[in-house]
Amino acid sequence: MLLPRYAAFALGASLANAFIDTSPFFLFSTSELLTSLPQIASSETVTKSIISQLSDCPSDTYVVVSQPGVHAEDYSDRYAAPHLRKKIQAEDKRIRSVATVTDVLGDIDPDNLVGAIEEKCGAALLRVDASTGSFTIADDPKPRIIHLDFPSLPRSSSSSSSTNRKARVSKLKDNDAFLASILDLLPPTSKYTVVYTTTPSLSPSSSSSQASHPHPLAEEQETYEMDASFSSSQQQQHMELKRDMEGHRMEKRENITLPDAPLFERYQYFTPGIFMGLLVAIPLFLIGYVGVAGVGSLQVSYAAFDREMGPAAQKKVQ
């Protein structure tokens, strides 16, 4: 009886290790793009799809972002990349197309994307190094490409994880503000497309273990091109495992106090217990009100309490 449980646990552990070296991908545009990507895809699949969609040159400006050393979990914090979150969630009314891939296996080469756009659209290239913090965008009617290189985030480590986490979130927030400043400098009437590429972040222990024991998927990637979709059973198992891990993360973060957050975000005032208590108290109050009103509406005449003085009363006395 225990053998199937151990087999299922081993399968879940292998799936978790298989996707530990993945990173997310984001795309948003003010142009209409028919981009449909799975949540799990290889870098070759994503690259071919993006080049195919941008081959018609739908925008005036193409911003290709390269952010190394990140993982999908880094963007789960809403304070990490607030501007990017607003664009992806289409809170900006100008955004017409959005595409995201949670797990990209392999590294997407931004230079490959830049070269393809240059060749097909004849766009001028402008490289921006975020480490210097200076850039200029000239008013040119010709299509242009802004290649934005961000430095890698601090490597995550098991020791002092809280401090390291804050450092990664702070750095990611600065990079997000830098990207937002570039988009604000673009002409209001111009159309733009942002291609946000990332590379995975590996902890020292995982990187050393992968160096000594290469991942079998990495060995097969040189001679085998992964399809756009996995088998339905493997994808379903991975998504279930991912939901379970997200649930555990949310349970751990429920008791975290945010010192800089507003009052109603720091504390929970309406709990399920209060809600159930109100559901019970309101019907009981209504029942009690109807009962008291019914008793109060009874009317008895004063004659009912007077002593009878007729013939019937005299017979009772005899």
Side-chain angles (χ1 to χ4, degrees):
M1 294 297 293
L2 295 178
L3 184 59
R5 297 182 182 179
Y6 289 132
F9 177 78
L11 178 60
S14 63
L15 287 174
N17 291 329
F19 293 95
I20 197 173
D21 56 349
T22 61
S23 60
F25 170 83
F26 309 100
L27 181 144
F28 56 91
S29 175
T30 57
S31 305
E32 292 286 351
L33 301 178
L34 300 177
T35 304
S36 178
L37 294 170
Q39 291 301 307
I40 306 172
S42 65
S43 57
E44 292 84 358
T45 301
V46 176
T47 301
K48 289 181 180 179
S49 177
I50 298 305
I51 293 177
S52 175
Q53 292 296 325
L54 300 182
S55 60
D56 296 335
C57 305
S59 302
D60 303 321
T61 303
Y62 303 90
V63 183
V64 181
V65 182
S66 176
Q67 175 62 74
V70 297
H71 194 267
E73 187 179 4
D74 293 322
Y75 296 92
S76 62
D77 193 325
R78 61 177 180 174
Y79 298 104
H83 298 92
L84 177 62
R85 180 182 294 269
K86 291 181 180 179
K87 300 291 185 182
I88 296 300
Q89 294 179 351
E91 295 183 9
D92 187 350
K93 301 303 181 182
R94 294 187 59 195
I95 302 301
R96 308 295 296 274
S97 304
V98 174
T100 60
V101 181
T102 306
D103 297 295
V104 178
L105 181 61
D107 297 342
I108 299 177
D109 188 5
D111 293 331
N112 190 10
L113 298 175
V114 170
I117 299 174
E118 279 185 310
E119 179 182 357
K120 296 181 180 296
C121 303
L125 176 61
L126 171 64
R127 289 188 176 272
V128 178
D129 188 3
S131 60
T132 60
S134 61
F135 60 91
T136 56
I137 299 179
D139 294 334
D140 190 358
K142 183 180 179 180
R144 57 193 164 197
I145 305 172
I146 302 177
H147 190 184
L148 179 57
D149 290 321
F150 285 128
S152 179
L153 297 186
R155 177 171 292 185
S156 59
S157 59
S158 57
S159 59
S160 66
S161 58
S162 177
T163 305
N164 183 265
R165 172 75 174 174
K166 292 181 180 179
R168 291 174 63 87
V169 170
S170 177
K171 189 64 178 178
L172 202 58
K173 185 177 181 180
D174 294 340
N175 295 345
D176 181 68
F178 192 87
L179 174 60
S181 64
I182 291 180
L183 297 180
D184 290 340
L185 291 177
L186 298 177
T189 57
S190 65
K191 296 182 178 180
Y192 64 85
T193 298
V194 176
V195 182
Y196 198 107
T197 64
T198 63
T199 55
S201 172
L202 300 178
S203 61
S205 59
S206 61
S207 60
S208 60
S209 62
Q210 288 189 355
S212 58
H213 303 285
H215 199 280
L217 288 179
E219 296 177 354
E220 294 179 1
Q221 189 176 2
E222 299 179 357
T223 58
Y224 174 74
E225 181 178 354
M226 187 176 62
D227 295 334
S229 61
F230 293 143
S231 63
S232 59
S233 61
Q234 289 181 343
Q235 187 172 359
Q236 182 179 3
Q237 290 170 350
H238 172 63
M239 295 304 293
E240 291 177 355
L241 178 61
K242 185 176 180 180
R243 285 195 208 100
D244 184 61
M245 293 177 65
E246 290 180 353
H248 285 297
R249 286 200 297 269
M250 291 300 294
E251 291 176 0
K252 292 180 179 179
R253 294 180 58 185
E254 280 181 355
N255 295 327
I256 296 178
T257 301
L258 303 175
D260 299 330
L263 183 63
F264 286 92
E265 293 185 7
R266 294 174 59 186
Y267 302 100
Q268 185 178 8
Y269 296 96
F270 195 70
T271 61
I274 297 176
F275 181 72
M276 289 186 290
L278 291 176
L279 287 180
V280 175
I282 292 175
L284 291 178
F285 176 78
L286 294 176
I287 294 172
Y289 175 77
V290 172
V292 173
V295 173
S297 64
L298 295 177
Q299 296 180 359
V300 181
S301 63
Y302 290 102
F305 300 98
D306 293 342
R307 185 176 180 180
E308 296 182 4
M309 299 302 293
Q314 293 179 0
K315 290 180 179 180
K316 290 181 180 180
V317 173
Q318 292 176 359

